[in-house]
């Protein structure tokens, strides 16, 4: 009886460790200047396997931004290897803010079909199945880079995070060429 319980416990713990991998890293915030100045906010990622794949790839990027004219913003996630994921470029019109806005490959709504204030989960304009998410080392410094390409208003990145886990490299293929 005890051996059966031990075997069951080992199997349950094994399934949790296989399906339960998820690691979130929180970046710093700050001001978003006006008129085409790009500002990049870092987060250091450690403890990931040396090659991202379907079991441990990037699964989610979340942002919280206060800005009075969302269509001014171009927002990209840049990996340690220099690959970039386009989250949004000039969406939201003259409306304000990205409040607890997350991006995943499997979200039901594309960010281009959403409206400000953005709140919830969206598919980004770029693809998670690109060279930031397969076969590359995810450890290192990641950046959330924001450009306000219009004049007349500034904003603030209040917070942001990236999460790695199972399902991260959906549809991805290795062999990206980075310039």
């Amino acid at each position: 009886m005890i051996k059966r319980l031990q075997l069951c416990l080992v199997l349950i713990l094994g399934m949790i460790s296989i399906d339960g991998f998820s690691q979130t890293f929180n970046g710093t915030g700050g001001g978003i200047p006006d008129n085409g100045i790009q500002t990049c906010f870092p987060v250091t990622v450690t403890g990931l396997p040396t090659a991202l794949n379907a079991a441990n790839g990037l699964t989610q990027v979340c942002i919280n931004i206060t800005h009075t004219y969302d269509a001014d913003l171009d927002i990209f996630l840049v990996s340690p290897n220099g690959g970039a994921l386009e989250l949004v470029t000039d969406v939201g019109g003259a409306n304000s803010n990205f409040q607890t806005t997350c991006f995943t490959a499997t979200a039901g709504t594309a960010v281009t079909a959403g409206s400000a204030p953005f709140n919830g989960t969206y598919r980004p304009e770029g693809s998670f199945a690109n060279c930031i998410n397969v076969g590359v080392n995810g450890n290192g410094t990641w950046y959330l880079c924001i450009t306000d390409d219009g004049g007349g208003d500034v904003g603030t990145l209040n917070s942001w995070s990236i999460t790695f886990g199972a399902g991260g490299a959906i549809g991805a293929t290795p062999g990206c060429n980075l310039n």
Side-chain angles (χ1 to χ4, degrees):
M1 179 69 166
I2 292 176
K3 287 208 180 254
R4 284 185 184 164
L5 288 174
Q6 288 173 335
L7 179 59
C8 286
L9 182 60
V10 167
L11 289 174
I12 290 170
L13 290 175
M15 288 190 302
I16 290 171
S17 66
I18 291 170
D19 294 333
F21 172 83
S22 180
Q23 202 166 356
T24 299
F25 300 87
N26 297 302
T28 59
I32 302 169
D34 224 356
N35 293 320
I37 298 171
Q38 183 182 65
T39 304
C40 295
F41 302 89
V43 65
T44 301
V45 171
T46 60
L48 295 179
T50 57
L52 297 180
N53 58 42
N56 60 29
L58 177 69
T59 58
Q60 180 171 267
V61 180
C62 294
I63 61 175
N64 182 329
I65 295 175
T66 304
H67 195 279
T68 57
Y69 199 94
D70 285 355
D72 282 357
L73 300 179
D74 300 340
I75 306 171
F76 288 80
L77 179 69
V78 179
S79 71
N81 75 348
L85 168 60
E86 178 184 8
L87 299 174
V88 299
T89 304
D90 304 323
V91 300
N95 298 310
S96 304
N97 303 326
F98 290 86
Q99 305 166 333
T100 314
T101 306
C102 294
F103 300 93
T104 69
T106 57
T109 303
V111 70
T112 54
S115 60
F118 293 92
N119 189 1
T121 304
Y122 300 89
R123 282 188 321 278
E125 289 192 69
S127 173
F128 272 77
N130 69 16
C131 48
I132 70 164
N133 210 22
V134 64
V136 297
N137 188 344
N139 295 303
T141 303
W142 291 71
Y143 295 93
L144 185 72
C145 294
I146 304 172
T147 303
D148 179 337
D149 57 16
D153 46 17
V154 294
T156 302
L157 173 64
N158 301 308
S159 62
W160 72 284
S161 66
I162 53 178
T163 300
F164 297 85
I170 296 170
T173 56
C176 295
N177 295 319
L178 301 175
N179 296 332

